[in-house]
Amino acid sequence: MNATPAITALDLAAFNAAYARAIDSDTLEAWPAFFTERCRYRITHAEAQAEGLPGGLVYADSRAMLEDRIAALREANIFEPQRYRHILGWPHLLAADGDSAQAETPFAVVRTMHSGEQMVFASGVYIDRLVRGAGGLRLAERLVVCDSRRTDTLLALPL
Amino acid sequence: MNATPAITALDLAAFNAAYARAIDSDTLEAWPAFFTERCRYRITHAEAQAEGLPGGLVYADSRAMLEDRIAALREANIFEPQRYRHILGWPHLLAADGDSAQAETPFAVVRTMHSGEQMVFASGVYIDRLVRGAGGLRLAERLVVCDSRRTDTLLALPL
Amino acid sequence: MNATPAITALDLAAFNAAYARAIDSDTLEAWPAFFTERCRYRITHAEAQAEGLPGGLVYADSRAMLEDRIAALREANIFEPQRYRHILGWPHLLAADGDSAQAETPFAVVRTMHSGEQMVFASGVYIDRLVRGAGGLRLAERLVVCDSRRTDTLLALPL
């Protein structure tokens, strides 16, 4: 009996690199496929998280909702107004077996405006639950906890 | 005779990810345990380092001193005034065997103030000497060389 | 017949860490040796890249040109005017075998001025083609695509 080898931090690093690349290279339509069909994607901030507040800044519980979000972004942003660059840290594995994993990964995002101006737009941590299926790793849940409650996520690209 | 496999960059990346998480998730009390009982933790900046100046901005030579430092921080910062996010690069291994390793790891820290404002607070390099014991990897020495001599480390969280 | 194992993301991460260290520790003279004798090093920005514009901000097609560039920088910058800190993401492997690899690696660079002031100087992605020879990995091509068209690369250190 050959057990599937457990998911490693190296697997997650490769997954996260592909995830960030989909957003930062403006191939946003590829982004929802990093999630399972039924999934949970939420953006919140550290204070709300610490106080157990329910309201995320962004909330989706299916891949279809993520696809809608991208369609809406494309409609709103006819002239590409900004560009993101995700810089991700090394995934901290909390649990892993052959089928699933839980991990936390720190992130920072540099935003470049159309004018060329650059700034740190967001930092925080991904709190993830992933599953491995026939198509490889997928996010069953990604909770994006931003460090700042000021991070403007309404019109923003995905984090 | 089975020699212990040498410490790898992958081992150090996992160690550093856990180290940064202890600070950034505000579980500072876990931070001193990343060091050996007798250790060396020093924060300095590149100019002082280049000129061979002795004075570090922060200096500790035992885990007990690191614990004192955390206790003092907790007392001073009743209302959490800031939040850090460490973004670490890949460890550059200088030497490694089964028991110890020397490595350099670049870092940047994004600071988030209570107001929500965010900035690059510090960048630099960790110059490390680690040992592996029964409890896993521990820092025998971490020299934090900040790129800027202006980085204010007096009241700050650990780097 | 033992085929050489394919180049891995881990190999590239170690290579990139050494590359960034050569620049950030001010041992610039070591930088050209990360490239093959005949190579292609180009800095451009995302808009120019998207529009297929030919003009890179910086262009070199041999290691000798890279050496000239470093010599010129040394001459111009008698008093070290700035310091870089590269923070690199995990390499996204596009193709790899035992002899060569193609990969994309995101980067951000924090610049520290002599005054101590720090800022995000550049972000973007390396689009690389590497070969493995007797001396290890070398860049046959590194295309540095900056996110901002404002990134001032004329007098700058290498990215």
Side-chain angles (χ1 to χ4, degrees):
Chain A
M1 205 182 78
N2 290 317
T4 318
I7 296 166
T8 64
L10 209 45
D11 296 331
L12 300 187
F15 176 87
N16 284 334
Y19 174 101
R21 183 173 178 258
I23 299 168
D24 298 352
S25 68
D26 196 30
T27 52
L28 294 174
E29 284 71 14
W31 172 67
F34 287 88
F35 292 83
T36 53
E37 295 270 353
R38 286 180 55 91
C39 60
R40 204 157 162 254
Y41 176 72
R42 193 151 68 90
I43 304 181
T44 186
H45 55 77
E47 280 174 59
Q49 180 75 356
E51 291 163 19
L53 294 181
L57 305 170
V58 172
Y59 186 88
D61 62 8
S62 71
R63 192 194 284 171
M65 282 180 71
L66 300 175
E67 285 163 354
D68 288 350
R69 185 171 162 81
I70 296 302
L73 276 173
R74 287 293 190 204
E75 209 159 317
N77 296 318
I78 299 174
F79 304 104
E80 176 196 277
Q82 54 181 331
R83 185 176 286 280
Y84 279 7
R85 185 63 55 189
H86 287 71
I87 303 288
L88 307 181
W90 191 247
H92 179 77
L93 264 188
L94 296 168
D97 60 23
D99 300 319
S100 66
Q102 293 182 51
E104 291 187 15
T105 301
F107 69 87
V109 175
V110 176
R111 180 164 68 170
T112 305
M113 303 309 287
H114 191 67
S115 64
E117 198 192 346
Q118 298 195 291
M119 58 176 302
V120 175
F121 170 67
S123 68
V125 61
Y126 294 140
I127 303 181
D128 294 335
R129 198 163 45 83
L130 296 105
V131 294
R132 184 154 60 183
L137 288 171
R138 294 277 183 279
L139 286 160
E141 179 170 0
R142 170 154 283 183
L143 172 61
V144 182
V145 185
C146 294
D147 291 324
S148 172
R149 59 188 153 85
R150 273 213 218 152
T151 300
D152 171 23
T153 53
L154 284 185
L155 291 173
L157 300 174
L159 286 176
Chain B
M1 207 181 76
N2 290 316
T4 318
I7 296 166
T8 64
L10 209 45
D11 295 331
L12 299 187
F15 176 87
N16 284 334
Y19 174 101
R21 183 173 179 258
I23 299 167
D24 297 352
S25 67
D26 196 30
T27 52
L28 294 174
E29 283 71 15
W31 174 67
F34 287 89
F35 293 82
T36 53
E37 295 270 353
R38 285 180 56 91
C39 61
R40 204 154 161 256
Y41 175 72
R42 193 150 69 90
I43 305 182
T44 186
H45 55 76
E47 280 175 58
Q49 180 74 358
E51 293 162 17
L53 294 181
L57 306 171
V58 172
Y59 186 88
D61 62 8
S62 71
R63 192 194 286 169
M65 282 180 70
L66 300 175
E67 286 162 354
D68 288 350
R69 186 172 162 80
I70 296 303
L73 277 172
R74 286 294 190 204
E75 208 160 318
N77 296 317
I78 299 173
F79 303 104
E80 177 196 275
Q82 55 180 330
R83 186 176 284 281
Y84 279 7
R85 187 61 56 189
H86 287 70
I87 303 288
L88 306 181
W90 191 247
H92 179 78
L93 264 187
L94 296 167
D97 59 24
D99 301 319
S100 66
Q102 292 181 51
E104 291 187 15
T105 301
F107 69 87
V109 175
V110 176
R111 180 164 68 169
T112 305
M113 303 309 287
H114 192 67
S115 63
E117 199 192 345
Q118 298 195 292
M119 57 176 302
V120 175
F121 169 66
S123 69
V125 61
Y126 294 140
I127 303 181
D128 294 336
R129 198 162 45 82
L130 296 105
V131 294
R132 184 153 60 184
L137 288 171
R138 294 278 182 279
L139 286 161
E141 179 170 0
R142 171 154 283 183
L143 172 61
V144 182
V145 185
C146 294
D147 290 324
S148 171
R149 60 188 151 86
R150 272 215 219 151
T151 300
D152 171 22
T153 53
L154 284 184
L155 291 174
L157 299 174
L159 286 177
Chain C
M1 205 183 75
N2 290 316
T4 318
I7 295 166
T8 64
L10 209 45
D11 295 331
L12 299 187
F15 176 87
N16 284 334
Y19 175 101
R21 183 174 179 257
I23 299 167
D24 298 351
S25 67
D26 196 30
T27 51
L28 295 173
E29 284 71 14
W31 173 67
F34 288 89
F35 292 83
T36 53
E37 296 270 353
R38 286 180 55 92
C39 60
R40 204 157 161 253
Y41 175 72
R42 192 152 68 91
I43 304 181
T44 185
H45 56 77
E47 280 174 59
Q49 181 75 356
E51 291 162 19
L53 294 181
L57 305 171
V58 172
Y59 186 88
D61 62 8
S62 71
R63 191 193 284 170
M65 283 180 69
L66 300 175
E67 286 163 354
D68 288 349
R69 185 173 163 82
I70 296 303
L73 276 173
R74 287 294 190 202
E75 208 160 320
N77 297 318
I78 299 173
F79 304 104
E80 177 196 275
Q82 55 181 332
R83 183 176 287 280
Y84 279 7
R85 185 61 57 188
H86 286 71
I87 304 288
L88 307 181
W90 192 247
H92 179 78
L93 265 186
L94 297 166
D97 59 24
D99 300 319
S100 65
Q102 292 181 52
E104 290 187 16
T105 301
F107 68 86
V109 174
V110 176
R111 180 165 66 170
T112 305
M113 303 309 287
H114 191 67
S115 64
E117 199 193 346
Q118 298 195 292
M119 58 176 302
V120 175
F121 170 66
S123 68
V125 62
Y126 294 139
I127 304 181
D128 294 336
R129 198 162 46 82
L130 297 104
V131 295
R132 184 154 59 184
L137 288 170
R138 293 278 182 281
L139 286 161
E141 180 170 359
R142 170 154 283 182
L143 173 60
V144 183
V145 185
C146 295
D147 290 325
S148 171
R149 60 189 152 86
R150 273 215 219 151
T151 300
D152 172 21
T153 53
L154 284 185
L155 291 173
L157 300 174
L159 286 176

